[in-house]
Amino acid sequence: LAVKDPTAVERANLLNMAKLSIKGLIESALSFGRTLDSDYPPLQQFFVVMEHCLKHGLKVRKSFLSYNKTIWGPLELVEKLYPEAEEIAASVRDLPGLKTPLGRARAWLRLALMQKKMADYLRCLIIQRDLLSEFYEYHALMMEEEGAVIVGLLVGLNVIDANLCVKGEDLDSQVGVIDFSMYLKSDDELGGKERNVQIAAILDQKNYVEELNRQLNSTVSSLHARVDSLEKSNTKLIEELAIAKNNIIKLQEENHQLRSENTLILMKTQHHLEATKVDVEAELQTYKHSRQGLDEMYNEARRQLREESQLRQDMENELVVQVSMKHEIELAMKLLEKDIHEKQDTLIGLRQQLDEVKAINMEMYQKLQVSEDAMKEKNEIIGRLEDKTNQINATMKQLEQRLQQAEKAQMEAEAEDEKLKQEYVNKSESLQKEFSQKEKQLLQLETDLKIEKEWRQTLEDDLQKEKETVSHLRIETQEIINLKKEFLKLQEKNKQLKMICQDQEAALEELASKLSESKLKIEDIKEANKALQGQVWLKDKEATHCKLCEKEFSLSKRKHHCRNCGEIFCNACSDNELPLPSSPKPVRVCDSCHAILIQQCSSNVP
């Protein structure tokens, strides 16, 4: 005969004991009632069997005083692998009555059973066999396939509700002995197989309903989370709208301020222009008066030259008078130069004012660009708001579809309940006790359905509130559109103001061009006056013939002197005129030197 492996026999025996204990616990719990206490014998035997299964193949760990062999080490690993197990581990460590690691392990198993997550925790352990190899031998039950089978059997314990008091029990000193008398079969149990089949069917239905409830709870929690997120987004949008309104009010105030500043600048420029006009008119009048004085002086000089022709003896005295007249002319020229410098200073001031006006206009333009950028950002925010409203409508439609699906599932559950009632009515009177129990279960299911209906009503109320918020958001979007229209009107007004400013700048440029023309005329006068200085005149005795036509002077052909070159020629040759673009009237020109003559040359006056 082949010798069997003793560790394999131990694993098979422990697996069978686990099956019997879990099966007996579920059957007795269903017959006794689902909520179990810590004094219930099948529950105590279940914990003893689980201790034996977890202890199988444990490695002995050395310490300073003795050898340790407890199951608390692998169970403590669950805290690292499964984050939800941190609460159990913390509560087990905080229990005051526990002193040994075995007591902590027993308390951990009881708390995991109450949470209905023992199968999940042990499954995490079985998956991580590399970590378990530190605590178990390679042939241990938790390292082999039997451990996975036990974890699958533990899933069935989620049907049972355990109410265990861990704080007052003495878990350190309990003796773990398996009572095999509880698992021996009797004649009564053979007759109850049909009942077990029916009970299994009912449990399957109950598990199906519980899973539906879990799914509905998950959907409700997700809906609540979405509702919270929508409320937060709505509050953010309301705050953004308030900020946008405040910004629009500030922009309107800035526009009013800029308009007032524009009006002040226009008034100042008008006053400056009027003052400059008055100054220019005064200067022109003074220039005319000075020109008249010069004409008078020229006439007097002509008279003196005529007297010189008659009285040659008084030439020396008349020359002295002419020298004095030249000094006076120089003084007048200096005065004219001073006036010209003052006019140049005024022109420089006007140019500076023009530069300042241009800088102010540039600042206005930059502010307008900033306001336009802000309006573009607000338009983008409005688009985002519209997208969010569309998303809210889509989520509302999805919620309505999910509610319709839940109602369909409820109708199917009610139809299945009615079918079960009809089947139970047709059965015999011997199963009345079981029918009473089933009716109690149906009452519990109906209460659960009522609770679900109430949840649906609350969800519908929440949906109505969300619709109201959507309507408020639409109203606010309309207000934003109206604000946008007002901003466009302000932009049009701003454009009109820009046109007015451009017109004013064009007027200032025209005034500057006129002033430059007057300056050019003054410079022409200065050049003509400079040409008069330093010339040497020919004597009348030496000049007997005209320079051009070479004819003798007579009463019909009088002598004429050129101011620039001092040549003497007849009146017929000195009547040449030349049109110039800078002067509106034709100018007389000398035939010998081609100099510009402001007045006609005479016979005795330069």
Side-chain angles (χ1 to χ4, degrees):
L1 293 173
V3 178
K4 292 184 178 180
D5 188 5
T7 57
V9 174
E10 289 176 2
R11 290 197 300 270
N13 291 330
L14 288 171
L15 179 60
N16 292 324
M17 286 304 301
K19 287 180 181 178
L20 289 171
S21 64
I22 291 167
K23 184 179 179 183
L25 181 60
I26 292 169
E27 290 177 355
S28 61
L30 291 173
S31 61
F32 177 73
R34 284 186 215 169
T35 56
L36 303 176
D37 296 330
S38 59
D39 296 332
Y40 193 60
L43 186 60
Q44 293 178 355
Q45 289 297 313
F46 167 72
F47 286 126
V48 172
V49 172
M50 286 302 298
E51 284 180 19
H52 283 283
C53 292
L54 291 170
K55 284 180 180 178
H56 184 264
L58 264 176
K59 289 181 180 180
V60 178
R61 291 200 165 192
K62 293 180 181 181
S63 64
F64 291 103
L65 300 175
S66 62
Y67 295 97
N68 290 326
K69 189 178 181 181
T70 58
I71 59 173
W72 175 240
L75 293 178
E76 201 173 6
L77 276 176
V78 179
E79 183 181 0
K80 298 177 182 178
L81 300 174
Y82 203 80
E84 294 182 1
E86 292 178 358
E87 295 179 359
I88 296 174
S91 60
V92 168
R93 292 191 191 97
D94 295 335
L95 285 172
L98 299 176
K99 296 179 182 179
T100 61
L102 183 61
R104 293 190 187 95
R106 288 171 179 170
W108 189 90
L109 289 171
R110 284 160 175 75
L111 291 173
L113 182 65
M114 283 193 286
Q115 280 190 348
K116 295 183 180 181
K117 290 185 178 179
M118 186 185 288
D120 296 332
Y121 295 156
L122 294 178
R123 186 178 61 196
C124 293
L125 273 177
I126 290 166
I127 291 167
Q128 301 292 331
R129 291 188 179 179
D130 296 333
L131 298 174
L132 281 177
S133 63
E134 297 178 0
F135 299 97
Y136 289 101
E137 300 289 344
Y138 69 93
H139 57 78
L141 185 138
M142 296 296 290
M143 298 289 289
E144 297 293 334
E145 294 180 356
E146 286 83 357
V149 175
I150 290 169
V151 171
L153 293 171
L154 290 173
V155 177
L157 294 176
N158 293 332
V159 181
I160 299 168
D161 295 329
N163 188 5
L164 306 176
C165 184
V166 183
K167 192 172 183 180
E169 290 188 2
D170 187 9
L171 298 174
D172 294 328
S173 61
Q174 286 183 1
V175 179
V177 179
I178 299 171
D179 188 5
F180 292 99
S181 63
M182 295 177 66
Y183 306 112
L184 295 174
K185 291 184 179 180
S186 62
D187 296 331
D188 295 331
E189 291 178 355
L190 294 172
K193 288 184 178 179
E194 295 179 355
R195 293 181 182 177
N196 292 330
V197 173
Q198 294 173 358
I199 288 165
I202 292 166
L203 287 173
D204 292 334
Q205 292 175 0
K206 190 251 184 187
N207 290 325
Y208 176 70
V209 173
E210 283 184 352
E211 287 178 358
L212 282 175
N213 287 325
R214 287 178 184 174
Q215 291 178 359
L216 290 171
N217 288 324
S218 64
T219 54
V220 167
S221 63
S222 64
L223 289 172
H224 281 299
R226 287 180 182 175
V227 168
D228 293 332
S229 64
L230 289 172
E231 287 178 355
K232 289 179 182 178
S233 63
N234 287 328
T235 53
K236 287 181 181 178
L237 291 172
I238 290 164
E239 290 176 357
E240 288 177 357
L241 285 171
I243 292 164
K245 288 179 181 178
N246 292 324
N247 290 325
I248 289 165
I249 291 165
K250 289 179 181 179
L251 289 171
Q252 288 178 355
E253 291 177 355
E254 288 180 358
N255 281 323
H256 289 300
Q257 290 178 359
L258 291 171
R259 286 177 183 174
S260 62
E261 289 177 358
N262 277 325
T263 53
L264 291 170
I265 291 163
L266 289 170
M267 294 292 289
K268 288 180 180 178
T269 51
Q270 286 177 359
H271 287 300
H272 285 297
L273 289 170
E274 289 175 357
T276 51
K277 284 180 181 178
V278 171
D279 294 333
V280 170
E281 288 177 355
E283 288 174 356
L284 288 171
Q285 287 178 359
T286 54
Y287 176 71
K288 288 178 180 178
H289 289 301
S290 63
R291 191 170 180 179
Q292 288 177 0
L294 290 170
D295 292 333
E296 290 175 357
M297 293 292 290
Y298 284 130
N299 292 322
E300 289 177 359
R302 286 176 184 175
R303 290 174 186 175
Q304 288 175 2
L305 287 170
R306 288 174 184 174
E307 289 176 356
E308 284 178 359
S309 62
Q310 292 176 1
L311 300 170
R312 295 177 180 176
Q313 295 177 358
D314 299 331
M315 282 292 292
E316 292 178 357
N317 295 325
E318 288 179 358
L319 287 170
V320 172
V321 171
Q322 287 180 0
V323 169
S324 66
M325 289 298 291
K326 284 182 181 179
H327 287 296
E328 289 178 358
I329 290 165
E330 287 177 355
L331 292 171
M333 289 298 295
K334 288 180 181 180
L335 292 172
L336 285 171
E337 287 178 355
K338 287 180 181 179
D339 293 332
I340 289 163
H341 286 300
E342 289 177 355
K343 289 176 183 179
Q344 286 179 353
D345 294 331
T346 55
L347 286 170
I348 290 164
L350 287 171
R351 286 176 183 174
Q352 289 178 355
Q353 290 177 1
L354 284 170
D355 294 329
E356 290 176 354
V357 171
K358 286 180 181 179
I360 292 164
N361 288 325
M362 288 297 290
E363 291 178 355
M364 290 280 290
Y365 183 70
Q366 290 176 357
K367 288 181 180 178
L368 285 170
Q369 286 182 348
V370 171
S371 63
E372 287 176 356
D373 294 331
M375 283 303 297
K376 288 179 181 178
E377 291 178 356
K378 289 173 185 176
N379 292 323
E380 291 177 355
I381 292 165
I382 290 163
R384 291 176 185 171
L385 288 171
E386 291 176 354
D387 295 331
K388 287 182 180 178
T389 52
N390 293 322
Q391 291 177 1
I392 290 164
N393 292 321
T395 53
M396 292 287 287
K397 289 180 182 178
Q398 290 178 1
L399 290 171
E400 289 176 356
Q401 291 176 359
R402 288 179 180 175
L403 286 171
Q404 289 176 2
Q405 291 176 0
E407 287 175 358
K408 288 180 181 179
Q410 184 181 359
M411 293 294 289
E412 291 176 357
E414 289 176 356
E416 288 177 358
D417 290 332
E418 289 177 358
K419 288 179 181 179
L420 288 170
K421 286 180 182 179
Q422 290 177 2
E423 290 175 359
Y424 291 151
V425 170
N426 295 324
K427 289 181 180 180
S428 63
E429 294 178 354
S430 62
L431 299 174
Q432 287 181 357
K433 293 180 181 180
E434 294 177 357
F435 279 122
S436 63
Q437 292 178 358
K438 291 177 183 178
E439 286 176 354
K440 290 179 181 178
Q441 292 176 359
L442 288 171
L443 289 170
Q444 289 178 358
L445 291 171
E446 286 177 355
T447 55
D448 293 333
L449 289 171
K450 287 180 182 178
I451 291 165
E452 288 177 0
K453 287 181 180 178
E454 290 176 356
W455 285 349
R456 286 173 187 168
Q457 287 179 358
T458 55
L459 287 171
E460 288 177 355
D461 294 331
D462 292 331
L463 288 171
Q464 288 179 358
K465 289 179 181 178
E466 287 177 357
K467 288 180 181 178
E468 290 176 355
T469 54
V470 169
S471 63
H472 287 300
L473 288 171
R474 287 176 180 171
I475 292 165
E476 289 175 351
T477 51
Q478 289 179 358
E479 290 178 356
I480 289 166
I481 291 165
N482 293 324
L483 291 171
K484 189 176 179 181
K485 291 179 180 178
E486 291 178 358
F487 185 74
L488 292 171
K489 290 179 181 178
L490 290 172
Q491 283 182 346
E492 291 178 355
K493 290 181 180 179
N494 197 357
K495 288 180 181 178
Q496 291 177 0
L497 290 171
K498 282 183 180 179
M499 294 294 290
I500 292 165
C501 290
Q502 290 177 359
D503 294 335
Q504 291 174 358
E505 288 178 356
L508 290 170
E509 288 176 356
E510 289 177 358
L511 287 171
S513 64
K514 289 180 180 178
L515 289 170
S516 63
E517 289 176 359
S518 63
K519 186 177 179 182
L520 290 170
K521 290 178 180 178
I522 291 164
E523 288 176 355
D524 293 333
I525 293 165
K526 284 173 71 177
E527 289 177 357
N529 288 322
K530 285 180 181 179
L532 293 172
Q533 297 175 2
Q535 296 294 328
V536 179
W537 297 95
L538 287 174
K539 294 181 180 180
D540 289 335
K541 294 179 180 179
E542 295 177 356
T544 57
H545 293 80
C546 180
K547 184 89 176 192
L548 295 174
C549 59
E550 295 181 355
K551 292 181 180 180
E552 292 183 357
F553 293 111
S554 61
L555 293 173
S556 60
K557 291 184 178 182
R558 296 184 299 277
K559 295 179 181 179
H560 286 74
H561 292 270
C562 178
R563 300 177 195 172
N564 189 18
C565 58
E567 296 292 337
I568 298 171
F569 45 88
C570 62
N571 55 359
C573 296
S574 64
D575 291 335
N576 296 322
E577 290 182 351
L578 181 65
L580 291 176
S582 60
S583 63
K585 295 180 180 180
V587 180
R588 296 186 180 276
V589 180
C590 179
D591 289 326
S592 61
C593 65
H594 301 286
I596 296 169
L597 303 178
I598 296 171
Q599 290 181 351
Q600 185 177 0
C601 294
S602 63
S603 59
N604 295 321
V605 180

